[in-house]
Amino acid sequence: MKLSKYIFLAVGTAILIFLFKKMGLATTLEYIKSIGWGGFFLICSIFIFSNIFLAYAWRVLVNYPLPENQFYKFVLARVAGDATSSINAMGAVAGEPLKAMYVKDILPLRIGLATVVLDRLIHTVSNILMVLTGMLAGLFVFRDKFFSNLIAFFALLIFFIIILFIFVRILKNHHNGVIMSLIDKLPEFIKSRILSDSARDKIQKTDEEISYIFSSPNTLRQFYTSLAIHYFAIIISCSLEIYLIVKFIAPHSGFLLSEALFVYIFGFIATSALFFVPANIGTSEGSYSIALKILGYDPVIGFSLGIIRRFRTFVWAAIGIVLLFYAGLIKKDH
């Protein structure tokens, strides 16, 4: 596992170096400098609001009495937990328990774990919705292929509705519990090591919390509300970020918000397919270059866009790690 990680890191770094040579270091730096400190601060600030809405999307799933003045802890937990996924897409799995642990003083850990599992499921459903949105944006970006794109969009939309319906029905009728059912599919020698009597009891309680959200129309409404907030928070913040960055870099380019949406979805699909590259090094910048070139813009703008977004990621990852240290969830080795 470690060897493959280093190999893919080396591949990603090689891609990044190649892109720097291909795009031109001087031009790229000039574009990056054009955003200025004020513009960069504005770009980073967008995700303050994004994290607030995402934290509320998580809070909606909690069926437990909480103090009204403690919502900020959900926001801090969101930033802290997502710091791991900012570093590596595969680290998102490790970041979920950290969120539950961050708020364990106001929310019992088993309920916190259940809600972050649900939040992760909602994140997955939201990602499928984003792909649909990218296809919808393509209707306006590639107008010469409007009808063929429209047919593909509706076909995928119908497929998504069917999958979502089946997904909700399975969760509603899964009496054994979602987590326990997944564990039961593991080989016996692995299951015997991780599934003690106490662990089984905790998992069953967590499964009960997850199944509760699908137990009635009122609680099911919480699931759809969280999904809607999650989807709009990400799609708006990321599209707006890309739009502003391109406008700062090339103010007279005529770049449209619908094009920014397409660029985000294109990059999202590309980096999701290449998730095994640590921190999406090289693949993220390359995908934005390709997307801008498809739209008829200078690919160096896309490459510079990727570098600026990476700087923004570093800022929020650093904030998240500081919060993890402050909460005592990361300890230095002695």
Side-chain angles (χ1 to χ4, degrees):
M1 289 291 289
K2 288 185 178 179
L3 179 61
S4 63
K5 180 180 178 181
Y6 289 128
I7 291 173
F8 288 125
L9 179 62
V11 170
T13 304
I15 293 173
L16 190 62
I17 293 171
F18 169 78
L19 287 171
F20 263 115
K21 290 184 177 180
K22 183 75 174 177
M23 302 297 171
L25 180 61
T27 305
T28 302
L29 290 177
E30 190 65 31
Y31 277 147
I32 293 172
K33 287 179 182 178
S34 65
I35 195 170
W37 286 109
F40 184 67
F41 177 78
L42 176 62
I43 298 302
C44 291
S45 299
I46 292 172
F47 285 83
I48 296 174
F49 301 99
S50 176
N51 280 304
I52 290 173
F53 282 105
L54 288 174
Y56 185 72
W58 172 25
R59 171 67 181 83
V60 165
L61 298 170
V62 177
N63 293 287
Y64 184 84
L66 293 170
E68 290 295 332
N69 61 348
Q70 297 296 304
F71 173 69
Y72 75 93
K73 290 188 177 180
F74 281 85
V75 179
L76 297 181
R78 185 97 218 178
V79 175
D82 285 349
T84 56
S85 59
S86 298
I87 298 169
N88 187 350
M90 296 185 71
V93 178
E96 302 309 306
L98 289 175
K99 296 174 188 175
M101 293 173 67
Y102 201 99
V103 294
K104 65 181 181 180
D105 58 327
I106 59 172
L107 185 67
L109 188 58
R110 64 182 177 84
I111 298 178
L113 288 171
T115 55
V116 295
V117 169
L118 274 173
D119 189 70
R120 178 52 48 180
L121 288 173
I122 287 170
H123 176 76
T124 303
V125 176
S126 178
N127 287 346
I128 300 173
L129 267 175
M130 288 179 195
V131 175
L132 281 168
T133 307
M135 294 187 68
L136 182 61
L139 295 176
F140 301 97
V141 174
F142 304 107
R143 297 187 180 184
D144 56 328
K145 299 180 179 179
F146 183 85
F147 288 107
S148 59
N149 288 340
L150 185 64
I151 292 170
F153 168 75
F154 278 114
L156 191 57
L157 177 62
I158 293 170
F159 176 74
F160 169 76
I161 293 172
I162 294 171
I163 292 297
L164 182 60
F165 176 76
I166 294 172
F167 172 75
V168 172
R169 286 293 296 272
I170 289 174
L171 289 178
K172 286 176 69 175
N173 300 319
H174 222 303
H175 303 296
N176 294 332
V178 177
I179 300 176
M180 187 58 70
S181 296
L182 292 174
I183 292 176
D184 285 339
K185 290 180 173 60
L186 294 174
E188 192 60 38
F189 73 94
I190 297 178
K191 190 164 61 174
S192 61
R193 289 188 177 185
I194 65 174
L195 203 59
S196 62
D197 290 339
S198 61
R200 181 183 290 273
D201 182 59
K202 290 178 181 177
I203 291 171
Q204 286 176 341
K205 289 180 178 178
T206 302
D207 271 330
E208 289 173 5
E209 294 293 337
I210 293 173
S211 61
Y212 175 77
I213 200 75
F214 301 98
S215 62
S216 71
N218 286 335
T219 54
L220 190 58
R221 194 176 297 115
Q222 294 173 246
F223 175 85
Y224 290 119
T225 300
S226 179
L227 173 61
I229 297 171
H230 196 109
Y231 165 78
F232 284 110
I234 293 178
I235 211 81
I236 292 173
S237 60
C238 291
S239 298
L240 181 60
E241 177 192 33
I242 289 173
Y243 176 77
L244 290 175
I245 290 174
V246 174
K247 280 298 185 180
F248 276 120
I249 292 175
H252 305 297
S253 61
F255 191 66
L256 303 174
L257 194 56
S258 60
E259 293 176 322
L261 177 59
F262 172 80
V263 171
Y264 168 66
I265 298 296
F266 186 93
F268 167 75
I269 294 173
T271 53
S272 296
L274 300 170
F275 67 91
F276 43 82
V277 178
N280 299 126
I281 292 178
T283 58
S284 177
E285 291 79 5
S287 66
Y288 294 134
S289 300
I290 294 171
L292 265 295
K293 187 175 182 179
I294 290 173
L295 294 173
Y297 297 99
D298 184 359
V300 184
I301 296 176
F303 181 62
S304 305
L305 162 68
I307 298 296
I308 293 168
R309 289 199 82 205
R310 188 169 297 281
F311 287 154
R312 185 269 299 161
T313 299
F314 289 157
V315 170
W316 278 102
I319 294 171
I321 291 170
V322 169
L323 291 172
L324 289 174
F325 270 113
Y326 178 78
L329 298 178
I330 295 181
K331 296 180 181 179
K332 294 181 180 179
D333 295 329
H334 296 287

